[in-house]
Amino acid sequence: MLKNYFKIALRSLFKRRLFSLINILGLVLGLLTFLVLYAFVITEFSYNDFHANKDRIFRVVIEERNGTYETYLPPGYAGIITSNFSSVQSVERVAGYIGSGLVAIPDTDLAFKENEVGFVEGDFFQNFSFPIERGTADLSKPYSVVITEQLAEKYFGEADAIGKSISLSNQFGKADFTITGVLQPIPELSDLQSDIFLSIHTLERPEYRRDNGWADPNGLESGFVNLFLVAKEGEDVSELPGLLTDFVNQDPDSKVANVLLQPLDEIHLGSSIADPMPKVSSMGSVLVFLAMAVLILFIAFVNYVNLSSANLLTRIKEIRMRKVLGAYSWQLAQQFMVETFLLMGLALILALGLFNLLDPLFFEILGKPVWAGVLLEPITVFVICGILGFAALFSGLYVVFLSGQFEKKSKLKFIASEGQWGRKALVVFQFVISIGIIVCTLVIRDQLSFMQQQPLGMNLNQRVVVEGPEDFKGDRKGKMNAFKEKLSSQSFIQGTAGSNSLPGYSYNFSAGGITPLVPRPEDKDYSYSMFIIDNEFIPTFGIDVVAGRNFTFEEADANWNNLPKVMLNAKAARQLGFENPESAVGQSILWGKPYEVVGVIADYHHMSLREEISPMILLAAQASGYFTLIMDTQEMQGNLAQVQSIYQEIFPGNPFTYSFLDEIYGRQYQAEQQLSRAFSIAGALAILISCLGLFGLAAYSVQQRTKEIGIRKVLGASTQSLLNLISKDFLILVGIAMVFAFPLAWYAMQSWQADFPYRAGLSWMTFVWAGLGSMGIAMLTVGFQALKAAWSNPVESIRNE
């Protein structure tokens, strides 16, 4: 019996090739989109799951009294927590990226600039399940290091790296580290990423830290580490956050409202959309992708149902003949279930093939890797089987329902009632989703364009950033000044500035406890972003000094550690209680000791417009982290080659690395660009799948009305009137869809934009363009079939009928 069902199903699919092709194409697109976005969503939810101790590891998060959350904490709290709370096995101090610098291989000429260098606890690899290729990965001793297999091959080739040394030059100076372990590639599904892991016990050595007192790994002043609490096995830590909060607040000057423990598997997405704690990615965005996946798959299935129900009307004779010959309704259902299963199975095979073939493209679109292995997970197999089973079952039951209607009504009455209204409702639903996605796409693009085009309060054009040297090999100040002077003598260089961070990257650090000379109660809740610059930074970036003056060369040369002078931005001046920028100049603020305010700059967007402008304090130094050059764009490659020659002459052994400042700043909008790309493609797919269904229904409508159209042409009907006859009903459905789609999209985008401090707002023109575009695409889709019918030979139409 099943064999006969398959034979009949294949004959039916080949007999109606156009409808079968439209159905398969729509289902392939829907299933492919669903599989990609579903795999992306499951990938996002799988971060950090590979750690064996994930249920016992928690990140310590501080909620401050002003409502902000902080994950960078003073490292000294690690020892205090371990000593005072018996349920805690250890507290892991992780200081990511602060060790970045120049790695040189002793007894060779090899040197490499490495940015992903961090300090971690001695037993870090005993608590976190990173795969160890060789060695013990023991970091309990100072000057020990663990590196990845990729770096081991780069540094030592095929030789065993265990026991060998690397020389690292960074902000702490130059030191040799002994390799105790080599790691397999760190899983992509890890939020803790690094290439080089240094022992944090190295920072305990004052001779290593030199003048960087803030980096004391037992200090309680500077917050520069993430603290990961490892609970003892079997211990209940549900009451521990309250105990930690009470313990910390024994200090009357504490700014802590709550100490929170964030489970390791929640630091990527959080526990829910409403989870206020800091996280790496956005659960809201992930759930949006999941919703798009389900909706586009649903559009494809609605297409199938619509076209299948229309096709049933051409098979009324077959259905009635089967019933006359004794077929039961459940046997009819089985036949159509087999046809559905066959069609969806073929579509699934094609979708899986395209998934594997286009995997690099998905990374380009989503901006993140998609874990293809998720398709082999039991839950994925269950979901796919559930989709196929539901589609087949629904199809069979739908046929049973319709076949019952055939017995009660004539074919013409059926066509005029249930059949059309059901299909029209489904078409409206399809276009509600499609138009809604198109509106959201346009709004996201408007917001992204608004943020990228807003005046920043500084000039990023023609600015080239050269990464500063790590190994000065001698007189640091002398070489810095020589480099700047030599660059200034080049005709293609209009300005050179030094800084220890960059707009678009970050600030150097944040600090609290800064007050006016007469402290106020609210000052303990305020913090300030600190930025280290030289005397050329402000003119090079075109930032306005609204009161006072810029730093001088002598002040930058003296260094802020030895010079009690600062500059403020306008927001910091207001937060410190000064009535206006002018009133701040010449006054002093307290930061452990008095610092004189020599100038106030205009507020500028140091970070993207996703963030409000921070109150900022500028510190003077001959900063060498980054050199920003204003360069003539003519003969750029030749000019860069000249800069490289000067750099390598003065800083030999340091790799020359450059980038363009506007590109650095633009990378901050990667999440919005990713969302815009995904919505654009989802919108295109949604409208394409909907139009495939519309095309099929228009073709079916023309097929059913072939005789009517022929008679109308014989009686003198014009092409325009026939176009209106066929297109009118479909365009009305698209118009009804707009009525529902616009309010839903407006509400969704209002909620989305609420997270931005600077918003583009919602323009009515966005909805007009979305409506006109959708109507135009629908008109082209239906109009093709309408013109085909209008231009056909009426004699042939009537004779064939």
Side-chain angles (χ1 to χ4, degrees):
M1 180 64 73
L2 191 61
K3 183 179 178 181
N4 288 333
Y5 286 157
F6 271 104
K7 283 184 178 180
I8 296 170
L10 287 171
R11 287 173 186 165
S12 175
L13 294 176
F14 278 107
K15 182 178 178 182
R16 300 167 180 83
R17 285 184 291 276
L18 176 62
F19 290 100
S20 298
L21 182 62
I22 292 173
N23 261 331
I24 289 175
L25 183 57
L27 288 172
V28 167
L29 291 175
L31 282 168
L32 178 61
T33 305
F34 175 80
L35 290 173
V36 171
L37 294 180
Y38 177 81
F40 173 76
V41 169
I42 297 299
T43 299
E44 288 288 287
F45 276 101
S46 301
Y47 269 75
N48 306 312
D49 279 353
F50 65 93
H51 294 291
N53 295 329
K54 67 173 184 176
D55 296 331
R56 296 195 290 124
I57 300 177
F58 304 85
R59 182 170 68 174
V60 181
V61 180
I62 297 296
E63 181 185 5
E64 298 181 343
R65 297 188 191 278
N66 61 7
T68 60
Y69 292 84
E70 186 58 70
T71 59
Y72 286 97
L73 307 175
Y77 284 115
I80 293 173
I81 294 172
T82 306
S83 301
N84 289 278
F85 297 92
S86 59
S87 59
V88 178
Q89 175 181 306
S90 65
V91 178
E92 304 290 312
R93 296 167 292 181
V94 178
Y97 306 115
I98 69 168
S100 60
L102 183 70
V103 174
I105 312 305
D107 302 323
T108 73
D109 295 329
L110 298 176
F112 307 93
K113 186 71 177 286
E114 301 292 355
N115 292 319
E116 297 196 5
V117 183
F119 291 87
V120 296
E121 202 67 61
D123 60 351
F124 179 81
F125 292 101
Q126 283 71 55
N127 287 309
F128 289 86
S129 304
F130 292 103
I132 300 170
E133 178 74 22
R134 296 187 301 279
T136 61
D138 178 15
L139 294 175
S140 59
K141 294 181 180 179
Y143 300 104
S144 55
V145 62
V146 172
I147 64 175
T148 61
E149 175 68 25
Q150 181 182 6
L151 288 189
E153 291 179 2
K154 183 167 78 170
Y155 296 163
F156 305 106
E158 297 182 358
D160 188 1
I162 301 299
K164 287 187 166 56
S165 294
I166 59 173
S167 179
L168 175 63
S169 301
N170 56 21
Q171 61 181 315
F172 302 108
K174 186 175 183 179
D176 291 339
F177 290 81
T178 302
I179 298 170
T180 62
V182 174
L183 301 177
Q184 294 176 15
I186 292 178
E188 290 181 338
L189 302 185
S190 172
D191 286 318
L192 295 173
Q193 294 281 348
S194 191
D195 292 329
I196 299 176
F197 297 85
L198 306 171
S199 170
I200 202 166
H201 299 292
T202 311
L203 291 174
E204 293 172 350
R205 301 294 180 90
E207 70 274 13
Y208 178 76
R209 294 198 310 271
R210 297 192 303 170
D211 296 329
N212 296 287
W214 60 267
D216 182 355
N218 298 308
L220 294 173
E221 297 297 326
S222 300
F224 64 95
V225 301
N226 290 138
L227 297 180
F228 289 91
L229 184 149
V230 183
K232 289 181 179 177
E233 199 153 2
E235 289 284 348
D236 180 11
V237 296
S238 58
E239 295 182 2
L240 189 55
L243 296 174
L244 287 168
T245 302
D246 294 340
F247 183 84
V248 170
N249 283 327
Q250 290 176 6
D251 179 357
D253 295 327
S254 170
K255 297 191 297 180
V256 175
N258 288 296
V259 179
L260 306 169
L261 297 182
Q262 188 178 30
L264 181 63
D265 58 0
E266 291 181 8
I267 69 174
H268 190 72
L269 291 177
S271 58
S272 65
I273 294 179
D275 186 351
M277 284 200 281
K279 36 201 176 285
V280 176
S281 193
S282 166
M283 182 176 286
S285 296
V286 171
L287 293 180
V288 165
F289 286 137
L290 181 60
M292 283 198 298
V294 173
L295 289 173
I296 290 176
L297 181 63
F298 192 74
I299 289 175
F301 182 63
V302 164
N303 256 9
Y304 174 77
V305 171
N306 251 347
L307 294 176
S308 297
S309 65
N311 263 325
L312 279 177
L313 299 177
T314 65
R315 300 176 68 177
I316 292 176
K317 286 183 180 180
E318 175 191 340
I319 292 171
R320 285 180 172 165
M321 182 62 70
R322 286 172 174 273
K323 288 213 163 190
V324 167
L325 295 175
Y328 295 104
S329 293
W330 62 268
Q331 290 174 314
L332 288 174
Q334 283 180 334
Q335 173 63 59
F336 285 92
M337 285 170 68
V338 168
E339 288 187 19
T340 300
F341 199 81
L342 187 65
L343 202 65
M344 293 203 72
L346 178 59
L348 178 62
I349 292 170
L350 292 173
L352 288 171
L354 288 172
F355 183 100
N356 290 316
L357 186 65
L358 301 176
D359 185 53
L361 179 62
F362 303 142
F363 178 82
E364 187 83 15
I365 294 168
L366 297 170
K368 292 184 179 180
V370 175
W371 179 34
V374 73
L375 299 182
L376 301 176
E377 291 287 298
I379 186 170
T380 307
V381 175
F382 175 79
V383 168
I384 292 174
C385 290
I387 291 170
L388 295 180
F390 171 79
L393 182 63
F394 183 88
S395 176
L397 294 176
Y398 192 55
V399 169
V400 170
F401 168 76
L402 290 182
S403 63
Q405 298 298 310
F406 292 157
E407 294 174 357
K408 297 175 186 176
K409 300 182 179 182
S410 70
K411 177 179 176 180
L412 289 176
K413 286 183 178 178
F414 180 81
I415 293 173
S417 56
E418 283 89 351
Q420 281 199 20
W421 283 112
R423 287 192 297 278
K424 287 178 178 179
L426 291 175
V427 168
V428 168
F429 185 78
Q430 280 183 310
F431 274 90
V432 166
I433 296 172
S434 303
I435 294 168
I437 293 177
I438 290 172
V439 171
C440 292
T441 302
L442 295 176
V443 171
I444 291 170
R445 287 190 172 184
D446 286 346
Q447 177 65 29
L448 182 59
S449 176
F450 169 80
M451 293 191 295
Q452 291 176 325
Q453 294 176 9
Q454 280 291 100
L456 299 175
M458 62 178 170
N459 193 344
L460 305 182
N461 296 328
Q462 297 178 245
R463 270 63 175 176
V464 175
V465 174
V466 176
E467 290 193 28
E470 298 292 350
D471 187 0
F472 284 89
K473 294 183 173 66
D475 178 17
R476 178 184 179 279
K477 278 189 179 180
K479 290 194 173 187
M480 285 275 295
N481 291 331
F483 179 64
K484 289 182 179 180
E485 287 173 9
K486 200 151 190 178
L487 285 179
S488 299
S489 67
Q490 305 301 313
S491 60
F492 57 86
I493 300 286
Q494 284 86 49
T496 305
S499 60
N500 280 354
S501 189
L502 288 172
Y505 270 169
S506 64
Y507 303 95
N508 288 115
F509 57 96
S510 62
I514 301 174
T515 70
L517 282 178
V518 180
R520 304 160 298 172
E522 62 268 26
D523 286 322
K524 69 178 182 179
D525 295 331
Y526 293 149
S527 63
Y528 297 82
S529 298
M530 316 300 280
F531 186 36
I532 301 172
I533 62 172
D534 69 3
N535 55 295
E536 295 294 335
F537 182 89
I538 289 173
T540 298
F541 278 77
I543 299 170
D544 292 333
V545 179
V546 294
R549 61 173 176 82
N550 183 22
F551 291 125
T552 64
F553 172 82
E554 291 73 22
E555 288 168 342
D557 210 41
N559 196 293
W560 64 275
N561 284 314
N562 308 310
L563 179 82
K565 294 184 179 182
V566 297
M567 295 182 71
L568 311 176
N569 71 347
K571 188 166 185 178
R574 290 192 298 272
Q575 187 165 286
L576 284 162
F578 297 110
E579 291 184 4
N580 51 56
E582 289 77 11
S583 63
V585 176
Q587 301 298 314
S588 292
I589 60 174
L590 287 176
W591 182 27
K593 62 181 181 181
Y595 282 78
E596 180 190 349
V597 178
V598 300
V600 178
I601 62 170
D603 289 333
Y604 73 95
H605 292 280
H606 187 83
M607 302 302 288
S608 77
L609 271 74
R610 283 192 59 86
E611 304 176 21
E612 289 192 43
I613 294 174
S614 295
M616 182 166 60
I617 297 178
L618 307 175
L619 307 172
Q622 288 295 350
S624 60
Y626 300 93
F627 299 112
T628 302
L629 317 179
I630 305 177
M631 288 183 61
D632 191 342
T633 55
Q634 300 293 326
E635 300 181 7
M636 179 62 79
Q637 291 305 314
N639 294 341
L640 285 170
Q642 182 64 23
V643 172
Q644 180 176 0
S645 175
I646 297 171
Y647 184 92
Q648 291 175 340
E649 175 191 339
I650 297 176
F651 307 121
N654 289 274
F656 176 78
T657 307
Y658 74 91
S659 50
F660 295 97
L661 189 57
D662 54 354
E663 293 178 0
I664 292 173
Y665 199 86
R667 289 183 203 131
Q668 297 177 97
Y669 298 112
Q670 186 175 355
E672 285 72 33
Q673 289 167 342
Q674 170 195 338
L675 197 62
S676 177
R677 281 196 303 269
F679 262 93
S680 298
I681 293 169
L685 286 172
I687 203 76
L688 174 60
I689 296 170
S690 298
C691 287
L692 281 173
L694 205 60
F695 181 86
L697 289 176
Y700 168 77
S701 178
V702 168
Q703 185 182 12
Q704 293 294 307
R705 304 175 74 171
T706 300
K707 186 173 181 179
E708 176 192 349
I709 292 168
I711 293 172
R712 285 177 179 271
K713 287 197 72 173
V714 168
L715 295 176
S718 66
T719 299
Q720 182 63 48
S721 66
L722 292 176
L723 274 172
N724 293 339
L725 174 71
I726 297 169
S727 304
K728 179 180 64 176
D729 288 345
F730 292 107
L731 296 181
I732 288 173
L733 297 181
V734 177
I736 294 171
M738 290 182 199
V739 173
F740 290 99
F742 287 166
L744 292 173
W746 181 87
Y747 176 78
M749 288 294 97
Q750 278 280 92
S751 301
W752 179 73
Q753 281 194 348
D755 292 334
F756 293 87
Y758 308 97
R759 294 183 282 274
L762 300 181
S763 169
W764 62 272
M765 282 302 298
T766 300
F767 294 86
V768 170
W769 285 118
L772 290 176
S774 303
M775 193 68 77
I777 293 170
M779 184 65 193
L780 287 173
T781 304
V782 177
F784 176 79
Q785 288 294 335
L787 283 173
K788 184 179 174 183
W791 290 342
S792 63
N793 188 337
V795 176
E796 290 293 327
S797 301
I798 297 170
R799 184 174 65 187
N800 289 338
E801 283 289 301

